[in-house]
Amino acid sequence: MKRVSILFVCMGNICRSPLAEGVFAHIARESGLADRFKIDSAGTGGWHQGKQPDRRSIAIARAHGIDITGQRARRVRLEDLEEFDLVLAMDRANIAELRAMAPGAGNITLFGDTALQTGEDIPDPYFGGPEGFELIYTRLLTGCIALVDKFGADQASLSGNTSSVR
């Protein structure tokens, strides 16, 4: 069975995208579906390469039982846009930068479109306080649950397993 590969992308890969990666991995593991996915995160900028996620992302993840301290920021590579099945950008500015890198890529989409089906941007909480991180955690949680349900169920039905994700 082919694993679904998903890359979460934000600007610096220290706030939104590492939190999305951690939340998704946690949900997939808790659902018994972790082996059906390959996930990662990256940023359109390289300012924080090699660094841990922002301390506030780490704190909000930890408050919800998720450990993202092992992640390290990295910049999106052109190969990522070719290799991942789905590249989920947190906002429209990220979409524009990704499409400038790979104009013909059909796998680049807005997290708010694909996961939330609202078309909303996931706002960058970097310059705000803890409440912004709680807000994005809630939106990412909602979207990641939907993604695991959708792609986990799709993969299960392809393999003949019709059991529920939850």
Side-chain angles (χ1 to χ4, degrees), residues 46-58:
W47 314 278
H48 306 286
Q49 290 188 98
K51 294 182 181 165
Q52 279 189 319
D54 185 284
R55 62 179 170 69
R56 297 164 295 175
S57 284
I58 290 171

Side-chain angles (χ1 to χ4, degrees), residues 75-121:
R75 191 171 191 172
V76 175
R77 301 176 307 257
L78 184 56
E79 305 87 68
D80 293 328
L81 305 179
E82 297 165 355
E83 293 172 9
F84 280 87
D85 298 320
L86 191 57
V87 178
L88 295 176
M90 295 294 131
D91 62 38
R92 285 168 178 76
N94 303 142
I95 290 269
E97 289 194 43
L98 293 168
R99 289 195 176 139
M101 286 177 69
N107 59 340
I108 300 168
T109 185
L110 187 66
F111 182 89
D113 284 340
T114 301
L116 297 170
Q117 297 184 359
T118 61
E120 70 188 84
D121 283 351

Side-chain angles (χ1 to χ4, degrees), residues 15 27 42 83 95 110 113 132 136 142 151 158 166:
C15 294
I27 293 166
E83 293 172 9
I95 290 269
L110 187 66
D113 284 340
I136 66 161
T142 300
F151 293 113
L158 290 174
R166 289 186 214 150

Side-chain angles (χ1 to χ4, degrees), residues 130-148:
E131 64 283 345
F133 285 82
E134 183 65 42
L135 171 70
I136 66 161
Y137 171 81
T138 302
R139 302 309 298 142
L140 294 172
L141 177 65
T142 300
C144 287
I145 288 170
L147 289 171
V148 169

Side-chain angles (χ1 to χ4, degrees), residues 4-21:
V4 176
S5 58
I6 302 172
L7 180 68
F8 297 99
V9 177
C10 68
M11 189 164 58
N13 192 215
I14 60 167
C15 294
R16 297 170 289 174
S17 59
L19 191 54
E21 178 186 348

